[in-house]
Amino acid sequence: MGAFSVYTGLLYNDFFSKSANLFGSSWHAKFEVDGYLKSSKFVQLNPDPHANATLRMYEGNPYPVGVDPIWAVSVNKISFSNSLKMKMSIILGVSQMLFGVVLSLFNHLHSRDRMGLLTEFVPQLLFLSCIFVYLCGMVFFKWLSFDGSPDEATGAHCAPSLLIHLINMCMFKYSDDPCSAKTFYSGQKGFQTFLILLAVACVPWMLVPRPLQAYLREKKRPWPSSMPHEAEEDESDEARLASAHEDAEEHEGLSDVIVHQAIHTIEFVLGCVSHTASYLRLWALSLAHAQLSEVLWTMVFRNGLGQSGAFGIVMLVAVFPMWAVLTVSVLMIMEGLSAFLHALRLHWVEFQSKFYKGQGHKFVAFSFQAIRDMKNFDNMLDS
């Protein structure tokens, strides 16, 4: 968990709310110090990588690892980081759910359940891929295809709103106004319509075959024939009673299969939506951690660094223990426990529900006493 925290800190380029310029920023502010910078409190960098040399402030090459440190001093840092972290949470969540569905394949292969392989694993994989894996693909497509140029086709001001596109995709509704709602690749309408229809077809694909198989198995079960003699009729009556009892069990088994399959299908279809939204807690946790870290820096530690002379030394000595205690207790212990609990829930509910059934043999610990008792019981039966 600590190693992953270091990895995400490197990815977000956030160390105690400060960014490290390890590889050199791709942004360069080309303003006159005595002119524009003195008269303006905020300046806007030109994001067009195709501008001429005098106006180009972005090289066009992204930061090699993580977020460019220029965002740490920008006024729209939160809106940028929120958008990035939200998309990364969705990508991570869908990837883990897809991995869980793939793990269910090994359950079907191990139990040699061909019906489960064809009517559970395949439609579940298709349903998840047609909507949510496709959404992740659109995220990467948006990152790679749009930049800061003023061109309407590739400019960031007309980059697609993925949430609006997902809603329009499910409603078969497409609009050209605003430009962010337009289709952004050829054949998008037809392809998305095919994906939605395939996802809808996966629902009866998961729901119907299992109960249908149980019904056909029940119909094929032979009925007992009646006997001509009285004694045999009595035996036949007993056989009929046994057969009627078996029929009741078979009927109950069929109803159980129908109810179980309906619950399983509804749970998976609705779970794909709710579980994907549940992974957004990663975004919320990251946002809360970043803001708490920045509050501790600006309201505690920076007060000591902002002083000079002997008073600055005394202030820094007094402030540092407070900052260190709050960082360890709040950011590491409290938020570490919170992150652990959220990760545990995501693994147990969102991930393991895709393949874990809770079936099998109950675990019994090895015991010499149990072996001895079993042997004594066998000796008693033999005697």
Side-chain angles (χ1 to χ4, degrees):
M1 189 172 179
F4 191 78
S5 299
V6 173
Y7 167 72
T8 52
L10 181 64
L11 199 63
Y12 294 139
N13 203 349
D14 191 340
F15 307 96
F16 298 104
S17 78
K18 299 287 117 179
S19 293
N21 192 5
L22 300 176
F23 305 102
S25 175
S26 299
W27 294 81
H28 305 281
K30 298 181 179 180
F31 297 106
E32 295 181 2
V33 177
D34 296 332
Y36 186 71
L37 289 182
K38 281 190 175 182
S39 61
S40 302
K41 185 177 181 180
F42 300 103
V43 295
Q44 182 172 352
L45 303 184
N46 182 14
D48 186 7
H50 308 293
N52 58 55
T54 57
L55 298 178
R56 186 169 62 244
M57 302 181 185
Y58 176 56
E59 297 177 356
N61 301 318
Y63 199 66
V65 179
V67 178
D68 197 294
I70 193 68
W71 290 105
V73 295
S74 62
V75 294
N76 58 338
K77 173 180 66 174
I78 294 180
S79 60
F80 168 78
S81 61
N82 277 350
S83 176
L84 176 64
K85 292 176 180 180
M86 183 192 306
K87 292 180 176 65
M88 293 186 66
S89 299
I90 295 295
I91 292 171
L92 182 61
V94 173
S95 301
Q96 190 175 37
M97 290 192 297
L98 185 65
F99 179 58
V101 173
V102 172
L103 287 181
S104 68
L105 170 64
F106 297 96
N107 290 338
H108 297 305
L109 295 177
H110 176 73
S111 59
R112 297 181 181 179
D113 185 8
R114 186 177 180 182
M115 176 62 72
L117 176 64
L118 296 177
T119 64
E120 292 182 12
F121 169 72
V122 174
Q124 286 179 2
L125 185 65
L126 288 176
F127 184 87
L128 187 64
S129 301
C130 287
I131 300 177
F132 300 100
V133 176
Y134 175 71
L135 175 63
C136 296
M138 287 199 298
V139 171
F140 285 104
F141 186 87
K142 180 179 179 179
W143 283 343
L144 297 175
S145 301
F146 296 88
D147 54 24
S149 64
D151 187 10
E152 184 173 333
T154 59
H157 62 288
C158 281
S161 174
L162 299 183
L163 179 60
I164 299 300
H165 274 269
L166 183 63
I167 295 174
N168 291 341
M169 172 183 171
C170 296
M171 297 179 63
F172 303 103
K173 176 183 175 183
Y174 298 93
S175 175
D176 292 334
D177 188 35
C179 61
S180 59
K182 292 182 179 179
T183 57
F184 49 93
Y185 65 87
S186 60
Q188 181 178 351
K189 293 182 182 180
F191 182 62
Q192 291 185 166
T193 302
F194 168 74
L195 291 179
I196 290 297
L197 294 178
L198 182 57
V200 172
C202 288
V203 177
W205 189 354
M206 288 184 282
L207 180 62
V208 175
R210 283 279 193 186
L212 182 61
Q213 182 191 36
Y215 174 75
L216 294 177
R217 186 185 297 119
E218 180 184 358
K219 294 291 287 184
K220 290 181 179 180
R221 192 179 59 81
W223 288 90
S225 59
S226 59
M227 297 297 180
H229 302 290
E230 184 175 352
E232 293 176 345
E233 287 179 359
D234 294 339
E235 293 178 0
S236 174
D237 291 338
E238 294 178 0
R240 279 198 213 95
L241 290 175
S243 176
H245 181 67
E246 291 176 2
D247 285 343
E249 291 182 349
E250 287 288 334
H251 183 71
E252 183 181 0
L254 176 61
S255 63
D256 288 344
V257 170
I258 294 174
V259 172
H260 177 268
Q261 199 63 24
I263 293 175
H264 184 71
T265 302
I266 295 172
E267 182 182 11
F268 179 82
V269 173
L270 297 182
C272 285
V273 181
S274 62
H275 292 174
T276 303
S278 183
Y279 277 95
L280 291 176
R281 70 182 68 227
L282 300 175
W283 160 46
L285 288 171
S286 179
L287 175 64
H289 181 84
Q291 293 305 304
L292 282 173
S293 180
E294 188 167 357
V295 166
L296 290 179
W297 178 272
T298 56
M299 299 187 66
V300 179
F301 199 45
R302 195 171 66 177
N303 293 329
L305 295 176
Q307 308 299 326
S308 59
F311 178 74
I313 297 175
V314 174
M315 190 71 174
L316 186 60
V317 171
V319 164
F320 179 78
M322 297 173 54
W323 175 81
V325 169
L326 290 173
T327 298
V328 172
S329 60
V330 177
L331 294 183
M332 294 183 63
I333 298 178
M334 287 181 57
E335 290 223 325
L337 178 60
S338 175
F340 168 74
L341 293 176
H342 282 284
L344 186 64
R345 181 239 148 77
L346 289 175
H347 278 80
W348 179 253
V349 178
E350 280 73 16
F351 173 56
Q352 293 191 19
S353 63
K354 301 296 181 292
F355 64 94
Y356 180 70
K357 300 295 183 183
Q359 300 173 349
H361 301 285
K362 184 179 179 181
F363 172 76
V364 178
F366 179 80
S367 172
F368 286 107
Q369 182 64 37
I371 297 175
R372 200 178 303 117
D373 294 340
M374 183 62 68
K375 186 176 181 180
N376 294 334
F377 181 74
D378 292 339
N379 293 334
M380 290 175 60
L381 293 178
D382 293 338
S383 61

